[in-house]
């Protein structure tokens, strides 16, 4: 399979690795949003969050928490975004599960914009019911 993150996990493509355990490898993003921007990469190929077993998802976010603390201490950042993209429209470009850890500074150039979607409260309740019925 021609997957850049599988190749990183297997050591076929070099990476700056800052942590690894049996299931995850944490590397520095090659095109960082800020200094310290890291990626928690699953060592097993799953395309996205939905495809992954829950236990592994849980483990991945525990790793992200641990690394986020270390990034905060190392960079003295003012905040941190944990970002996890699923699907092209959501900005996913590498189709192998990963979690972004992005240190944020008071004045940086990162843009995370939720837009100005407008809806009525009935619609919010309606979709809430629909989601509940699928859980
Ligand atoms: P996403 O858009 O959520 O799929 O994020 C993919 C991320 O992987 C981007 O931030 C890229 O800069 C990063 N990336 C792609 N190739 C490499 C690589 N070889 N080493 C490190 N980071 C990479
Ligand atoms: Zn892969």
């Amino acid at each position: 399979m021609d997957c850049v993150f599988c190749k990183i996990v297997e050591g076929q493509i070099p990476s700056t690795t800052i942590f690894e355990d049996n299931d995850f490898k944490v590397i520095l993003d090659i095109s960082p949003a800020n200094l310290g921007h890291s990626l928690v990469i699953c060592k097993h190929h799953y395309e996205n969050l939905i495809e992954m077993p829950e236990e592994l998802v849980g483990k991945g976010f525990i790793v992200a928490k641990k690394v986020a603390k270390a990034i905060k201490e190392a960079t003295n950042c003012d905040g941190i975004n944990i970002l996890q993209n699923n699907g092209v429209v959501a900005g996913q470009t590498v189709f192998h599960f990963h979690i972004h850890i992005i240190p944020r500074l008071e004045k940086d150039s990162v843009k995370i914009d939720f837009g100005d979607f407008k809806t009525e409260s009935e619609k919010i309740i309606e979709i809430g019911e629909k989601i509940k019925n699928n859980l």
Side-chain angles (χ1 to χ4, degrees), residues 38-58:
S38 303
L39 302 170
V40 179
I41 298 175
C42 185
K43 284 192 172 177
H44 321 281
H45 183 93
Y46 292 102
E47 189 169 318
N48 57 43
L49 178 85
I50 310 290
E51 301 291 318
M52 254 172 93
E54 285 180 2
E55 197 194 324
L56 216 42
V57 172

Side-chain angles (χ1 to χ4, degrees), residues 3 6 45 96:
C3 171
C6 279
H45 183 93
H96 175 133

Side-chain angles (χ1 to χ4, degrees), residues 5 16 27-34 36-39 98 100-101:
F5 285 176
T16 308
I27 67 165
L28 293 180
D29 198 297
I30 204 167
S31 175
N34 268 330
H37 179 173
S38 303
L39 302 170
H98 57 280
H100 292 262
I101 309 170

